[in-house]
């Protein structure tokens, strides 16, 4: 893929926050962060060769020097490990209804909510959906999000789910971000399905998942375990079939009522996401498992709900990732640093915990071992901020944008 074997060196930078040698799980003190001052980053063919003192690296023979536009602070590229950016339409009316007193579940039960986005998404062609998906991915990329998970889930028939996943595949050609797709056919029982939840899930497992597998459209399967969607008893057989086909599992868990995180632990999911209503029992379950706990502050902000108990989850020993959940219903904002910094302020997360949640812990929850850390062998995905020190970045709660975004050793330019 990379014919270029030049060794590039960028720097010197005021600070390079490497995220090296930090544990996958549990609380993190800022003093554990390995910050290199006056450092440089050296890479070849899109992979990091060294991150060290700039002068030492510059003395190596045969390096091509790249002068940064700002001396600033370098962070690894971010991973937004939970989004629903493949959608059509708007749910501005839901926001107004909720703020007028209706609840998310009431709107869903009266035929609005996810179902209205399904209708708007089904009305789009693959190309139109791909274009919107790529535009949103590029909005995140400009904020420094170099890896983005994208769910289907607004198709909810075999054909329409395939269309969504094909649109995500097509969107890859219109963005430099890495897009990781997830099948969320189990988002809700579609209103036009003539049958039970069990029959719908059976159809998806038998007629949709094998096609996804064959065409390599996704390697992850998600479900919304909730009163308005699927119960524990309904979803377990579906997840078991998906797992037997080789899919990784992830769960929308404990958003309004509990039980999703117990499902996630029972099926050995990669992550349990949302957790706004998790209690001590669910926190203990997750902490004694290898399921990553994912906070989605954008959904709390969109719905005016409590935040996931990130502090308690970390203290109990979980690996906590933070993602935007960007979707038209509960989380229309799509700003990862803003949301992570607001969560940190409410949940009292250290900067190290915040940064881990959007770098290597988020990447690990997607199964990646090659990103989220600035160290030899990792991808040269990194961000350069015009800042005096790394603390400035969370402190500005999303209003400080990276001056440079690098993906696989290439500096990206943004036209709009
Ligand atoms: O993660 N909770 C379920 N799914 C999305 C919301 C989807 C929607 O409302 O359109 C979420 O919040
Ligand atoms: Fe979600």
């Amino acid at each position: 893929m990379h014919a270029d074997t030049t060794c590039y060196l960028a720097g010197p930078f005021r600070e390079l926050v490497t995220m090296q040698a930090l544990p996958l799980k549990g609380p993190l003190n800022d003093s554990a962060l390995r910050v290199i001052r006056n450092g440089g980053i050296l890479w070849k063919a899109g992979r990091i060769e060294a991150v060290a003192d700039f002068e030492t690296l510059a003395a190596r023979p045969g390096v091509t020097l790249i002068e940064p536009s700002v001396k600033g602070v370098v962070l690894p590229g971010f991973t937004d490990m939970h989004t629903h950016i493949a959608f059509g339409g708007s749910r501005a009316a839901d926001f107004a209804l909720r703020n007028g007193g209706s609840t998310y579940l009431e709107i869903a039960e009266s035929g609005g909510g996810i179902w209205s986005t399904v209708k708007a998404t089904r009305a789009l062609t693959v190309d139109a959906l791909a274009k919107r998906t790529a535009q949103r991915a590029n909005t995140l990329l400009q904020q420094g999000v170099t890896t983005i998970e994208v769910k289907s889930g607004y198709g909810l028939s075999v054909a329409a789910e395939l269309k969504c996943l094909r649109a995500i595949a097509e969107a890859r050609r219109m963005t430099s971000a890495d897009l990781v797709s997830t099948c969320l056919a189990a988002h809700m029982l579609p209103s036009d399905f003539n049958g039970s939840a069990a029959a719908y899930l059976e159809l998806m497992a038998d007629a949709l998942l094998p096609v996804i597998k064959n065409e390599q459209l996704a390697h992850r399967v998600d479900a919304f375990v909730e009163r308005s969607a699927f119960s524990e008893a309904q979803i377990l057989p579906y997840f078991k079939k998906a797992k037997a086909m080789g899919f990784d599992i992830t769960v929308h868990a404990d958003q309004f009522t509990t039980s999703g995180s117990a499902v996630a632990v029972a099926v050995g999911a990669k992550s349990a996401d949302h957790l706004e209503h998790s209690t001590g029992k669910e926190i203990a379950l997750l902490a004694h498992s290898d399921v990553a706990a994912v906070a989605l502050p954008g959904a709390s902000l969109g719905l005016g709900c409590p935040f996931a108990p990130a502090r308690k989850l970390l203290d109990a020993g979980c690996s906590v990732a933070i993602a935007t959940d960007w979707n038209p219903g509960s989380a229309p904002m799509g700003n990862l640093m803003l949301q992570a910094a607001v969560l940190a302020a409410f949940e009292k997360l250290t900067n190290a915990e915040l940064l881990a949640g959007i770098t290597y812990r988020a990447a690990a929850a997607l199964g990646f071992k090659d990103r989220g850390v600035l160290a030899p062998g990792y991808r040269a995905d990194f961000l350069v901020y015009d800042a005096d020190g790394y603390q400035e970045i969370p402190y500005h709660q999303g209003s400080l944008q990276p001056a440079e975004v690098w993906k696989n050793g290439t500096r990206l330019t943004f036209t709009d």
Side-chain angles (χ1 to χ4, degrees):
M1 188 181 134
H2 260 276
D4 186 359
T5 54
T6 316
C7 235
Y8 294 101
L9 170 63
F13 296 106
R14 204 164 278 134
E15 289 183 356
L16 273 137
V17 183
T18 62
M19 305 308 287
Q20 284 174 13
L22 295 170
L24 181 61
K25 295 179 174 187
L28 295 170
N29 284 323
D30 290 352
S31 57
L33 289 175
R34 184 164 172 234
V35 180
I36 300 174
R37 298 202 163 73
N38 294 311
I41 179 165
L42 187 81
W43 71 91
K44 189 167 82 178
R47 298 271 175 173
I48 297 172
E49 298 258 302
V51 183
D53 171 68
F54 179 77
E55 295 307 328
T56 313
L57 294 177
R60 288 197 189 190
V63 297
T64 300
L65 194 64
I66 295 174
E67 215 178 303
S69 61
V70 289
K71 191 170 149 67
V73 176
V74 178
L75 297 181
F78 304 143
T79 291
D80 188 348
M81 56 73 69
H82 181 140
T83 85
H84 307 245
I85 57 173
F87 66 85
S90 160
R91 301 254 291 283
D94 286 15
F95 186 73
L97 279 173
R98 283 197 307 271
N99 295 346
S102 307
T103 68
Y104 182 89
L105 289 179
E106 281 165 6
I107 295 170
E109 276 152 16
S110 68
I114 294 172
W115 185 243
S116 65
T117 301
V118 170
K119 288 189 278 188
T121 307
R122 284 183 181 175
L124 295 177
T125 62
V126 173
D127 288 357
L129 185 56
K131 204 163 161 229
R132 282 170 207 225
T133 306
Q135 276 167 348
R136 295 179 186 119
N138 285 329
T139 298
L140 289 170
L141 185 58
Q142 198 156 1
Q143 297 168 18
V145 184
T146 44
T147 299
I148 305 168
E149 186 261 12
V150 188
K151 300 174 195 298
S152 65
Y154 293 121
L156 305 191
S157 68
V158 172
E161 281 294 305
L162 288 173
K163 184 186 80 176
C164 291
L165 291 167
R166 289 186 180 124
I168 297 166
E170 197 176 309
R172 288 198 179 98
R173 293 203 288 268
M174 295 179 259
T175 180
S176 299
D178 285 332
L179 304 185
V180 176
S181 45
T182 302
C183 173
L184 180 56
H187 206 179
M188 64 176 276
L189 178 62
S191 309
D192 63 350
F193 184 76
N194 195 8
S196 63
Y200 173 73
L201 292 173
E202 226 176 280
L203 176 69
M204 294 300 125
D206 297 346
L208 176 65
L209 296 187
V211 183
I212 293 174
K213 195 85 208 158
N214 267 341
E215 294 187 24
Q216 296 186 325
L217 286 169
H219 70 277
R220 295 161 43 86
V221 165
D222 193 351
F224 189 15
V225 177
E226 191 48 70
R227 223 177 67 198
S228 62
F230 299 100
S231 69
E232 181 173 352
Q234 287 163 345
I235 213 65
L236 278 173
Y238 175 73
F239 273 155
K240 281 185 186 144
K241 283 188 203 169
K243 232 187 148 178
M245 285 183 232
F247 287 99
D248 285 342
I249 305 296
T250 178
V251 187
H252 277 71
D254 305 349
Q255 186 180 11
F256 303 104
T257 55
T258 53
S259 88
S261 50
V263 171
V265 172
V267 298
K270 290 277 176 203
S271 71
D273 306 20
H274 272 294
L275 311 179
E276 291 88 335
H277 283 87
S278 301
T279 67
K281 183 178 147 207
E282 287 75 32
I283 293 169
L285 263 179
L286 290 168
H288 290 102
S289 77
D290 286 328
V291 181
V294 183
L296 304 171
S300 303
L301 294 168
L303 299 175
C305 282
F307 291 106
R311 179 74 268 144
K312 287 184 180 160
L313 287 159
L314 283 162
D315 289 344
C318 290
S319 180
V320 173
I322 307 167
T324 63
D325 195 21
W326 190 354
N327 74 74
S330 60
M333 183 199 295
N335 186 325
L336 184 60
M337 180 54 77
L338 186 161
Q339 294 171 12
V342 168
L343 179 75
F346 278 87
E347 281 292 310
K348 306 302 168 211
L349 307 186
T350 64
N351 280 329
E353 288 163 342
L354 183 167
L355 292 174
I358 59 176
T359 57
Y360 74 92
R361 287 181 171 176
L366 293 179
F368 287 120
K369 293 189 173 78
D370 66 347
R371 62 197 71 196
V373 178
L374 300 178
Y378 284 80
R379 282 176 190 273
D381 296 353
F382 62 94
L383 318 172
V384 185
Y385 285 83
D386 188 4
D388 290 337
Y390 77 87
Q391 291 186 337
E392 296 288 327
I393 299 163
Y395 162 69
H396 280 95
Q397 295 192 303
S399 64
L400 190 64
Q401 295 282 306
E404 297 180 14
V405 178
W406 291 76
K407 180 79 186 89
N408 297 327
T410 298
R411 184 175 171 188
L412 305 180
T413 49
F414 300 95
T415 44
D416 50 9

